[in-house]
Each structure stands twice: as structure tokens, then as C-alpha cells.
Amino acid sequence: MPAETLAANANVALYSSMVVYTLALLAFTLHLASRAPSRAAGPGQERGAAASRTSVLVGAPGRPGALRGGPVGASGAPTARTPGAPEGEDGRGIASRQRGSIGLTLTYLATLLLVASVAMRGLAVARPPWGNMFEFATAAAAAVGLVYSALARRNRWEWLGVFVVGPVLLVLGLALTVLYTEAGELMPALKSYWLGIHVSVAFVAVAFFTIACAVGVLHLVRARREEKPPARPGFLESLPPAAQLERTAYGLNMVGFILWTFTLIAGAIWAKEAWGAYWQWDPKEVWTFVIWTVYAAYMHSRATAGVDHRRSTYIALAGYASVIVNFTLVNLVSTFVGMHNYSGM
């Protein structure tokens, strides 16, 4: 197939994925709305419904329900469904489960379309499709979609869909309206097998950081709501408890941190081959190290006894803010221009 046709089909697949992601976002929104306690339910029923939704997302190995999301008690043993809770094995109503399943199915389809778009773009240019900001944004969004899709069904993360699909749609919209670049050749410094290794691992690391950021924000909101319960519970009270959300975010950040460590090391090796030195204080190199340092501080804080986990979460959120700076301002603002000036803008 001619390169021009492949590039055009890649754009069609990208637009199609955005349409399907929009439908998935709507389904997830309706799912969250249906998780909120009914106005007709009494206080006891609302408490029972919230209790029955409690599920451990990331826990110690061997704990029943630790990854499957089944209801567990404080001791880690499975608990029975609370009487009066909405119908469903984890306390959700039938309508809520159906909408969540529809949202997940649409997310799978949208992610497949987005991956196809990225692949066709790569075939059109006969290289890894992340040589400029547009290609990087779309590939990174595809990585987020793939990681979420792989984890969502197993862990019953339909409640997280709004907070993942929403940012993915935002990134794709910015990619098309602000960052779009025609398919073209790579700059000489990027013509290396390290492009496929270094950047692809960075995509996956950012995907884990993105999902962890969403869970971390929910943890902070949920913790505040637990300290000062509202007069009438809403959908937030249907989410897992703050402590379990925090453990989930920690596990995701740990995977992202390990992958980012490899990204940092691989980048230094590639820099040695391309420019003759492992480190030259280029803005991109500096911010990659800043991200690693902030997340290392988060890991240390999280492992330190007596430190409030909410404070650790704020450090993780600062790390994700550094990720955003690294992949936006460092690439687009002239003040940060260095040897990594590959945005294509």
C-alpha cells in the first residue's frame, strides 16, 4: 500500500478511535452515576451498598480477592454481600455493571483502532512511529489505553475508566489540533535501534505513571471524604477505600519507576553512541533525571515508617507533573531547546 494511503488511513483510524473513546467515556460516566446510592434508599441501605463495594485492588500476595477485587474484610478474608446492597456480586446494580462492561468493550475497540493508527503511521514512514511530538503523543496515548485495558477487566476497574479515557481523549485532541506533523524522515541522531527500545519503554512507564496519578488523586479525595463524610453519599463513596486506592497507586508507580530507571540508563547509552558522552546536561536529560529523583523520593517516603501516605502521594503527583513538563515544555518552549529538539513543530 502506498505511503500516502497508509498515512491517510492512519488519520482515519485515529479519528475513529476518538469517536469510540468518546462513547466509552459516556458509558463510564453513566456507570459512575449509577453507582451512587439511590435517593430512595435509606441511610442503612446506603451504608450497606458502600460497604459491599469495598474491594482490595493491590494487596499482599496470597490475600483472597487481592487482585480480583472481591469484597474482603479488615483481616483480608472474603466477606458476604451486605444485606440490602444493590444486586451484584460486588454490590453494584445490574445497570451499573452493564454500563461498565459497555465502557470497557468500547475502550478495547478504541485502543485497537489507536494502535492500528500508530502502526499504519509507522509503516507509512518505514520507521518506529515516534519521531516527533504528534507521533509521540498518539503512541503514548495508545500505551495508556493498552495498559488500562490489560488491567481493567482483571481488577474490575470500570470505576477508573472516566479518569483514564478522559485524559487520553484530551491528549489525542491536542495531538490533532496543536501537534500534528506530516509523516516524514527522522533526524540523523534518531536513526538508531535505541529509538525502538528507549522510547517504547518510556511510553509504558508513562502509561503506568498516568494511571497511578488518576488513582492517587482519587485516594486523596476519598481520604478527605472518609474524614468528613458528606450528608448524602455519592459515587465517591462507592469507590474502594482510600487505603486500598493508595496501595494500588503505589504498585502502579513502582512498576513505572522500574521502567523509568531503564529509560534513563538506555538514554545515557544512546547518548554515548550519538554524541560521544553519556551525559551532557541537555534539558531533556536533566528532566528525565528529575522525574527519576522525584519518584525515588516517593518510594523512599512510602517505605518510611510514620510518614503519612497522603504526603507520599503528593510527592508522586509532583513526579507526574515533572513528566508533563518533560514531554511538553521541554520539547516545545525555546528556553529548553537542546540536542533533543525533535518535536517537529
Side-chain angles (χ1 to χ4, degrees):
M1 188 179 296
E4 295 80 4
T5 304
L6 281 169
N9 289 342
N11 289 340
V12 171
L14 178 57
Y15 282 112
S16 300
S17 72
M18 293 183 66
V19 172
V20 181
Y21 269 131
T22 301
L23 296 175
L25 182 64
L26 177 60
F28 283 134
T29 302
L30 294 174
H31 166 70
L32 280 182
S34 61
R35 287 173 66 98
S38 171
R39 292 182 178 274
Q45 289 177 304
E46 290 176 352
R47 287 194 296 269
S52 67
R53 293 185 180 106
T54 301
S55 59
V56 175
L57 302 179
V58 174
R63 291 184 62 183
L67 292 178
R68 296 296 298 173
V72 298
S75 64
T79 62
R81 187 167 65 88
T82 304
E87 183 180 354
E89 62 178 0
D90 61 348
R92 290 174 295 173
I94 294 176
S96 177
R97 286 186 287 127
Q98 290 176 337
R99 293 164 184 171
S101 296
I102 292 172
L104 276 181
T105 301
L106 290 171
T107 300
Y108 299 154
L109 176 58
T111 302
L112 181 62
L113 288 169
L114 183 54
V115 170
S117 173
V118 173
M120 285 188 286
R121 175 85 172 198
L123 292 173
V125 294
R127 58 170 174 78
W130 38 80
N132 52 60
M133 281 291 291
F134 168 75
E135 294 173 356
F136 188 93
T138 54
V144 174
L146 284 171
V147 172
Y148 172 72
S149 296
L151 297 174
R153 176 66 70 179
R154 175 182 176 87
N155 296 304
R156 297 176 182 172
W157 282 358
E158 296 94 332
W159 52 268
L160 188 58
V162 169
F163 309 101
V164 173
V165 173
V168 167
L169 265 175
L170 177 62
V171 169
L172 293 179
L174 290 174
L176 283 169
T177 58
V178 179
L179 305 175
Y180 185 76
T181 305
E182 294 291 342
E185 291 294 324
L186 283 175
M187 296 182 66
L190 293 179
K191 295 180 179 180
S192 170
Y193 62 89
W194 280 108
L195 178 65
I197 300 173
H198 169 68
V199 182
S200 61
V201 175
F203 287 150
V204 182
V206 170
F208 276 96
F209 286 148
T210 299
I211 299 173
C213 176
V215 178
V217 171
L218 289 175
H219 155 242
L220 295 175
V221 176
R222 189 79 168 90
R224 181 176 293 274
R225 301 271 286 200
E226 288 177 358
E227 288 181 352
K228 299 179 180 179
R232 177 174 291 276
F235 77 88
L236 286 171
E237 278 62 49
S238 74
L239 302 182
Q244 295 169 13
L245 290 171
E246 193 280 329
R247 285 196 295 272
T248 299
Y250 172 66
L252 293 167
N253 279 319
M254 176 63 77
V255 176
F257 178 69
I258 293 170
L259 293 172
W260 195 256
T261 301
F262 176 84
T263 300
L264 182 64
I265 295 172
I269 297 173
W270 188 7
K272 174 66 174 178
E273 291 186 2
W275 303 317
Y278 291 106
W279 193 265
Q280 300 195 37
W281 296 103
D282 181 75
K284 177 68 77 172
E285 293 177 336
V286 171
W287 276 96
T288 300
F289 182 69
V290 167
I291 293 169
W292 186 90
T293 302
V294 176
Y295 276 105
Y298 162 72
M299 295 300 166
H300 176 74
S301 173
R302 178 59 171 72
T304 302
V307 176
D308 187 349
H309 287 172
R310 280 179 292 188
R311 294 184 179 180
S312 300
T313 300
Y314 282 120
I315 298 176
L317 296 181
Y320 191 70
S322 300
V323 171
I324 294 175
V325 170
N326 188 39
F327 294 115
T328 55
L329 297 181
V330 174
N331 287 322
L332 300 175
V333 178
S334 59
T335 306
F336 296 100
V337 169
M339 291 180 291
H340 285 80
N341 187 26
Y342 306 136
S343 69
M345 302 294 295

